[in-house]
Amino acid sequence: MLNIRYEKNTAPKPIPGPENPLTFGTIFTDHMFLMNYETGKGWHDPRIVPYADISLDPSAMVFHYGQEMFEGLKAYKAEDGRTLLFRPDKNIERANRSNRRLCIPEIPEEDFLQAIKAIVKTDEAWIPTKPGTSLYIRPFVIATDPFLGVRPSDTYLFIIILSPVGAYYPEGLNPVKIWIEDDYVRAVRGGIGEAKTGGNYVASMAAQVKAHEDGYSQVLWLDGVERKYIEEVGAMNIFFKINGTVVTPMLNGSILPGVTRDSVIQLCKHWGIPVEERKVSVDELLAAAKDGSLEEVWGTGTAAVISPVGHLRFENTVIQIKDGGIGELSQKLYDTVTGIQLGKTEDAFGWSVIVE
Ligand code: COI
């Protein structure tokens, strides 16, 4: 159990009201959680302090070799006033899996959850309540040794910041346009693709810039070896409904094991819809689009929630799905996942965790 020190922000900012059209990740609350690590001493000095700049040595290892892990989860305000987290245990488990891959010391699960609950409780008044909004929680760890050699750091900083957010994509729940990338790759098996770390996201940027220039929101990645099998979108995992079956790329070591991905698989199975986690080739997708068996496409992610895809492009072939509209199953998944997150829909799987 952490003994968290608390320093109140004596100059709080105005909390955005319901008239504020919240976008994603631009506004931050009044406090943040910090905890240090040092080899031989372990994690220590947990504290909640006013949100502010942090000071680091320019030689801090995170700046040079990218030794860092991050996570993303959300807090919601239910109609009855409860503050709810969605499956935080899954994010914590994944954070420690990323930590192991990145040679960052693990954070005891119960301390991690206590820290999340404590910072959310502190800035609970910042949880927005308009439909489609939530309080995004961004825990991250950075390597802080002032050193230019390549080895794991001996010191780290664990930080949790909070941001009231709206939809990740400006399109909201309207279907997004996605470019299937066959030049750049995001990750390879044995690499760091399944860890949640900045390196995977910077690897995606050049292709994303190229896709944006052509009017596409995101890039759908193919496997790094054969450039044939579909992997993920980067900000979300991808699902297809083909001939009544829900198909998603299996976790192969280079795909992020998404919490919303797992929730969607469980929900579909619970509803009796066949689900296949397997290799999906771009050729299979093009063939399904051509013969009419590709019924729906959507992405899943904490930030993206359930995000319908209305248009895919691979080389010179354009696939229009549902005439660019929202699929029935995508809509049902969105309603159910957000319903559980907001405490409105029966939480049959026990996914919601109350912040008290
Ligand atoms: C999330 O969905 O929480 C993520 O971390 C994706 C990020 C690109 C916003």
Side-chain angles (χ1 to χ4, degrees):
M1 171 104 175
L2 297 175
N3 186 10
I4 304 174
R5 179 159 66 79
Y6 177 69
E7 186 190 328
K8 190 177 163 63
N9 191 332
T10 52
K13 295 171 282 203
I15 297 176
E19 73 295 344
N20 189 308
L22 290 174
T23 54
F24 184 85
T26 52
I27 299 172
F28 300 94
T29 68
D30 284 328
H31 297 88
M32 60 185 178
F33 174 89
L34 298 177
M35 182 160 72
N36 294 79
Y37 180 92
E38 200 181 314
T39 300
K41 199 168 170 186
W43 289 106
H44 61 276
D45 196 14
R47 55 209 184 271
I48 287 174
V49 295
Y51 187 95
D53 291 354
I54 52 170
S55 170
L56 289 174
D57 193 295
S59 69
M61 293 182 74
V62 64
F63 295 137
H64 306 277
Y65 308 119
Q67 198 193 5
E68 74 97 32
M69 173 286 295
F70 77 91
E71 266 302 326
L73 66 161
K74 286 175 171 172
Y76 309 83
K77 189 54 88 181
E79 269 169 13
D80 59 9
R82 288 175 307 157
T83 294
L84 302 175
L85 302 172
F86 184 70
R87 309 190 73 188
D89 48 310
K90 294 291 285 179
N91 292 90
I92 292 170
E93 190 188 299
R94 185 175 65 186
N96 277 333
R97 225 176 310 137
S98 300
N99 281 344
R100 286 194 291 277
R101 178 64 182 84
L102 302 163
C103 298
I104 295 172
E106 291 181 43
I107 300 164
E109 291 187 5
E110 59 283 9
D111 294 348
F112 205 136
L113 184 59
Q114 186 193 343
I116 292 173
K117 285 182 170 176
I119 186 65
V120 169
K121 187 81 198 160
T122 303
D123 281 341
E124 200 170 23
W126 285 76
I127 305 175
T129 52
K130 251 198 349 203
T133 65
S134 55
L135 187 70
Y136 187 77
I137 305 167
R138 170 54 61 89
F140 60 108
V141 177
I142 53 174
T144 54
D145 271 11
F147 179 55
L148 294 184
V150 178
R151 56 142 176 84
S153 181
D154 277 317
T155 58
Y156 297 86
L157 192 54
F158 174 37
I159 307 179
I160 308 176
I161 56 175
L162 306 174
S163 175
V165 297
Y168 183 69
Y169 297 116
E171 288 89 339
L173 195 55
N174 294 321
V176 293
K177 285 173 76 177
I178 288 187
W179 178 283
I180 306 178
E181 174 64 40
D182 62 348
D183 185 9
Y184 295 106
V185 296
R186 170 187 172 274
V188 290
R189 279 156 66 188
I192 54 170
E194 67 178 348
K196 205 150 174 67
T197 184
N200 287 323
Y201 294 79
V202 73
S204 74
M205 286 180 190
Q208 185 170 325
V209 167
K210 200 175 69 166
H212 274 180
E213 283 165 5
D214 283 304
Y216 287 76
S217 326
Q218 289 281 308
V219 170
L220 179 59
W221 298 102
L222 299 181
D223 75 279
V225 179
E226 295 179 75
R227 304 196 186 187
K228 186 173 165 188
Y229 296 101
I230 289 166
E231 298 236 307
E232 61 161 84
V233 176
M236 52 188 196
N237 295 113
I238 191 90
F239 284 78
F240 307 100
K241 184 162 167 256
I242 304 175
N243 219 359
T245 296
V246 169
V247 181
T248 193
M250 66 194 205
L251 299 178
N252 61 358
S254 57
I255 297 177
L256 190 85
V259 177
T260 316
R261 175 188 181 280
D262 180 78
S263 310
V264 160
I265 291 172
Q266 288 198 49
L267 281 170
C268 288
K269 287 183 176 167
H270 183 67
W271 294 332
I273 301 170
V275 180
E276 294 176 3
E277 292 179 71
R278 60 168 171 83
K279 282 182 162 184
V280 190
S281 71
V282 74
D283 289 344
E284 176 185 351
L285 185 67
L286 295 177
K290 203 165 172 192
D291 70 17
S293 55
L294 178 63
E295 294 159 356
E296 290 185 40
V297 182
W298 68 90
T300 62
T302 296
V305 196
I306 307 292
S307 195
V309 177
H311 177 122
L312 284 162
R313 175 166 173 178
F314 180 64
E315 296 173 339
N316 290 323
T317 308
V318 167
I319 304 176
Q320 195 74 25
I321 306 124
K322 283 265 165 205
D323 296 324
I326 303 173
E328 212 177 295
L329 181 58
S330 315
Q331 183 73 57
K332 183 175 175 186
L333 284 164
Y334 179 85
D335 293 342
T336 308
V337 169
T338 55
I340 295 173
Q341 289 169 336
L342 286 163
K344 284 200 275 204
T345 302
E346 195 211 340
D347 179 17
F349 297 93
W351 285 338
S352 285
V353 171
I354 304 171
V355 176
E356 283 160 315

